[in-house]
Amino acid sequence: MNRAAFHAALRDNASGIFKAYSTTQFDSLEAIVREARRRSVSLCHLAAVLAEVHHETGGTMRPIEENLNYSARRLTQVWPARFPTLASAEPYAGNPRKLANRVYGGRLGNVGGDDGWAFRGRGLAQITGRANYGKFGLMETPDRACDPATAIRILFDGMMQGLFTGKRLTDFDAVDSRSASPSGYRYAASRAIINGDVRQNGPTIEAYGRAFETALRKAGYGRALVAEAADPAVVALLRPEAAERTPEAEVAKASQTAKINCIRRLVEAVATLLARWMK
């Protein structure tokens, strides 16, 4: 994968993804892509993952904690059913802990009086509630959801295995994501992997997904690049089943096969001699 081309595509204003591009964003993207390569995640699935991270973290691409510091007016907009009037919202305005226990208490597996606060949204995918933290082994250490390595593990496990909402990346495939042409992957619908607000945020995820897909294709994600040895900014990425067979590799394989056959014949000959001697 040509990392330089990937980051250049994302920096391009035409991509519509980032207004600014910080070192933190660069490092976070590198870590996410490395994990995708380690897991052999297909191009469009990675684009969908990156689209969700962008949306969930407000473009920072790093693990964050849910911001629960709202004004009373904003509370009536975010949770209109819970705060139908300004008067009902006033006691929770500017009080994140009290608000978390009010809006998350008694649900999402929360049972304790302070569970809403203890298990508030964290990470790259913003897991929320005792039950969701439990899926990833973090009920005793919820703060670890903001550890970068842990957050990335949660992100991929959740989206690939359907641990967030029951929906997973493969549920929204439309064509072979390894195709050289733009795919029909259903990015908007894939919002359901994280949250059921598809009608509200699906179009945003669609736009981000297409932009990340374009950047990954420009970088040659999933394909061997001839420039690998010459350019330190280029890294070859191959899924095992897509590895290119070079002449050198074929020669090495033939040599290995010949050695194995020779050893097998030698063993068979020794066995035959022993059998005759024992008679």
Side-chain angles (χ1 to χ4, degrees):
M1 173 180 171
N2 188 328
R3 294 161 49 216
F6 175 62
H7 292 289
L10 295 180
R11 287 191 182 97
D12 189 340
N13 290 334
S15 74
I17 301 180
F18 299 108
K19 294 181 179 178
Y21 205 66
S22 68
T23 301
T24 300
Q25 288 167 318
F26 178 93
D27 292 341
S28 296
L29 281 163
E30 288 280 292
I32 294 170
V33 173
R34 279 197 302 271
E35 181 64 10
R37 292 166 56 190
R38 188 184 74 80
R39 295 181 182 233
S40 297
V41 175
S42 68
L43 187 151
C44 290
H45 288 181
L46 176 53
V49 167
L50 291 171
E52 289 294 347
V53 173
H54 190 290
H55 181 74
E56 291 287 298
T57 67
T60 66
M61 308 305 289
R62 61 177 176 80
I64 62 172
E65 284 190 2
E66 183 179 10
N67 179 10
L68 291 164
N69 190 11
Y70 292 101
S71 67
R73 184 170 298 281
R74 182 58 179 155
L75 285 175
T76 63
Q77 298 169 346
V78 177
W79 286 286
R82 293 180 181 274
F83 306 110
T85 65
L86 286 175
S88 64
E90 283 292 349
Y92 301 92
N95 193 330
R97 189 176 202 130
K98 186 175 182 179
L99 175 62
N101 288 326
R102 169 71 175 85
V103 297
Y104 298 136
R107 65 190 189 95
L108 301 174
N110 292 332
V111 292
D114 203 37
D115 277 3
W117 174 250
F119 299 104
R120 62 192 179 278
R122 292 186 184 88
L124 292 169
Q126 292 288 285
I127 56 172
T128 308
R130 177 184 285 273
N132 286 317
Y133 277 81
K135 293 176 184 177
F136 303 99
L138 298 178
M139 279 199 294
E140 301 301 322
T141 55
D143 286 333
R144 285 186 55 212
C146 276
D147 169 71
T150 302
I152 289 175
R153 173 179 65 83
I154 291 170
L155 174 70
F156 280 97
D157 285 353
M159 295 190 71
M160 295 177 74
Q161 300 173 31
L163 298 180
F164 297 132
T165 64
K167 300 291 186 180
R168 61 188 69 198
L169 288 164
T170 53
D171 291 339
F172 304 96
D173 286 331
V175 297
D176 184 354
S177 61
R178 289 171 289 180
S179 170
S181 60
S183 78
Y185 191 80
R186 296 182 293 139
Y187 293 107
S190 75
R191 172 60 182 167
I193 298 171
I194 300 289
N195 196 297
D197 58 356
V198 175
R199 180 173 296 181
Q200 178 184 353
N201 290 313
T204 298
I205 297 300
E206 179 77 26
Y208 290 152
R210 294 293 167 197
F212 278 116
E213 179 184 332
T214 297
L216 288 167
R217 290 190 185 282
K218 287 182 178 179
Y221 180 90
R223 299 198 302 270
L225 299 178
V226 178
E228 176 190 1
D231 186 352
V234 176
V235 179
L237 170 63
L238 287 173
R239 285 189 299 278
E241 71 273 16
E244 181 180 357
R245 293 185 176 181
T246 63
E248 293 80 8
E250 292 296 336
V251 170
K253 182 178 180 181
S255 177
Q256 183 180 19
T257 301
K259 290 179 181 178
I260 293 173
N261 289 335
C262 182
I263 292 172
R264 185 173 62 250
R265 287 194 296 270
L266 180 60
V267 170
E268 290 173 349
V270 171
T272 300
L273 287 173
L274 286 173
R276 290 177 179 175
W277 179 77
M278 290 179 71
K279 288 179 179 179

